Amino acid sequence: MVMSDNAKGLILAVASSAFIGSSFIVKKKGLKRAAAAGTRAGVGGYTYLVEPLWWVGMVTMIIGEVSNFVAYVYAPAVLVTPLGALSIIVSAFLAHILLKERLQRMGIVGCVTCIVGSVIIVLHAPQEQTPNSVEEIWTLATQPAFLIYVAATISIVLALVLHFDPRYGQTNILVYTGICSLMGSLTVVSIKAIGIAIKLTLDGTSQITYPQTWFFVTVAAICVVTQLNYLNKALDTFNAAIVSPVYYVMFTTLTIIASVIMFKDWSGQNATSIASEICGFITVLSGTIILHSTREQESPPIGTVTWYGSAESIKSFVDEPLINFHDSDYLGHQDLTWRRDQNASPKDSTVNVIIS
């Protein structure tokens, strides 16, 4: 029995989700270790590059992305992309076990909802229509509708990077995930074009000499590097329980839009099949929202830290703030205030750091 292209794409997409979901958690642990030894990635540090655990997560993600890359060659993005929800389920359970981020009962309901939505999409997915050359893909990429999408995407990314990142990057998750998702949609269509070119070349019709092939390779490389950079910032700045579903929802929505515009995935399908796919997609999104809303946020540390110094360095004997720090490890800010202990004697040099 010969396996259909859609079936091959389905198997590769599921395997990809398992690897990518695992990589989120491994990279998160690596980023935490790197932050303890140097500057956090969220504020521009690159200490994670010498952290072995981060590289393990990186290799795991590369394996998942390669599987995903090949899946796009065999199946349409409308089928492959929504199956990324499975990576959220993997990420949720591993975060529960390894990062101690509690998964509540409604979170399990969210996981089941994602699976149901994915099954609906698989059952109604269109068959892949593979172009016969890179030149055909180039014709699809230069149609007016897709050029408008590309122009809008680049404009929004530039606005997020130049204006919103310096002001809101550390407090609003949509900045980093927005950049990742927008660039990700261009990555997918470029990688799909490259994959088709490789497949045609292996079948005997070389596409290496076409300049369009190398254009798609350049675009994919730029988009992937940008994605990884801002995904690292998102993971280091925000809870992994938040990053995974938000990134998935935005990335999947934008990728499907880009693919439908460029490759015309819904061409030839009847209204019933398209409506079923949309319902399945909405079901998957609902599952991710449920999972997101019931996952436990990282709890900031609470307690006191004792500091010792000379009595002359104490500004006052009263409970007066001396130094204030602000930490934005999560969405809000927490104040760390140095205070003089009221019960201490005038010669006592102990000062407590109260974290509130």
Side-chain angles (χ1 to χ4, degrees):
M1 182 178 178
V2 179
M3 185 180 296
S4 67
D5 284 350
N6 270 24
K8 294 176 183 176
L10 172 62
I11 293 172
L12 289 166
V14 172
S16 169
S17 295
F19 282 112
I20 293 175
S22 302
S23 74
F24 270 107
I25 306 306
V26 178
K27 287 176 69 178
K28 177 71 175 181
K29 288 184 73 67
L31 288 168
K32 283 188 172 183
R33 286 189 184 179
T39 306
R40 294 171 45 212
V43 292
Y46 293 94
T47 315
Y48 61 86
L49 292 176
V50 295
E51 172 56 50
L53 190 59
W54 182 86
W55 281 107
V56 171
M58 190 66 196
V59 170
T60 305
M61 174 171 276
I62 290 173
I63 295 173
E65 293 295 350
V66 169
S67 301
N68 204 43
F69 167 80
V70 181
Y72 280 113
V73 175
Y74 289 103
V78 174
L79 168 62
V80 175
T81 308
L83 291 178
L86 301 178
S87 69
I88 299 178
I89 298 173
V90 173
S91 176
F93 280 103
L94 289 181
H96 176 73
I97 296 171
L98 301 177
L99 300 181
K100 309 304 179 184
E101 296 175 3
R102 215 171 119 206
L103 178 62
Q104 300 178 6
R105 291 181 180 177
M106 283 302 295
I108 298 175
V109 173
C111 292
V112 173
T113 304
C114 288
I115 294 173
V116 171
S118 297
V119 171
I120 295 173
I121 292 172
V122 169
L123 293 176
H124 296 89
Q127 291 296 317
E128 173 69 347
Q129 300 175 4
T130 305
N132 296 317
S133 70
V134 172
E135 290 181 323
E136 285 188 25
I137 302 174
W138 183 256
T139 301
L140 296 173
T142 54
Q143 59 183 312
F146 188 70
L147 289 178
I148 291 173
Y149 176 82
V150 172
T153 297
I154 294 175
S155 299
I156 295 172
V157 167
L158 288 175
L160 289 172
V161 172
L162 300 177
H163 178 75
F164 291 96
D165 183 8
R167 294 170 175 80
Y168 311 109
Q170 294 292 307
T171 56
N172 193 324
I173 193 174
L174 296 180
V175 176
Y176 293 151
T177 54
I179 296 171
C180 290
S181 302
L182 287 164
M183 297 301 285
S185 67
L186 298 182
T187 300
V188 168
V189 294
S190 298
I191 283 180
K192 187 174 179 68
I194 297 168
I196 292 172
I198 294 174
K199 183 181 179 183
L200 292 171
T201 300
L202 294 176
D203 290 340
T205 308
S206 178
Q207 305 295 309
I208 303 298
T209 57
Y210 290 99
Q212 293 93 331
T213 300
W214 298 106
F215 176 82
F216 287 125
V217 170
T218 303
V219 171
I222 294 172
C223 291
V224 166
V225 170
T226 305
Q227 271 184 274
L228 289 176
N229 183 38
Y230 283 95
L231 181 58
N232 282 329
K233 288 188 176 184
L235 285 171
D236 188 58
T237 306
F238 303 98
N239 192 312
I242 309 298
V243 174
S244 296
V246 172
Y247 175 57
Y248 167 76
V249 170
M250 297 178 68
F251 170 74
T252 303
T253 302
L254 291 169
T255 298
I256 289 178
I257 291 173
S259 182
V260 167
I261 294 173
M262 179 173 170
F263 291 101
K264 304 183 186 303
D265 289 335
W266 285 340
S267 177
Q269 279 199 296
N270 57 42
T272 302
S273 295
I274 295 174
S276 297
E277 290 170 39
I278 293 174
C279 289
F281 180 53
I282 293 173
T283 303
V284 171
L285 295 187
S286 300
T288 61
I289 292 172
I290 293 172
L291 184 57
H292 156 60
S293 63
T294 57
R295 292 284 295 281
E296 190 179 64
Q297 299 179 0
E298 291 178 293
S299 301
I302 298 176
T304 62
V305 178
T306 302
W307 172 78
Y308 297 93
S310 63
E312 290 78 10
S313 66
I314 307 303
K315 182 178 179 181
S316 171
F317 299 147
V318 298
D319 184 23
E320 180 180 355
L322 298 180
I323 305 174
N324 289 318
F325 295 90
H326 297 280
D327 178 65
S328 58
D329 189 52
Y330 193 61
L331 297 177
H333 293 277
Q334 61 187 71
D335 292 331
L336 283 69
T337 305
W338 295 70
R339 297 184 185 278
R340 179 74 167 86
D341 191 346
Q342 288 181 324
N343 299 322
S345 66
K347 294 184 179 180
D348 194 339
S349 58
T350 301
V351 175
N352 287 329
V353 180
I354 303 174
I355 303 175
S356 58

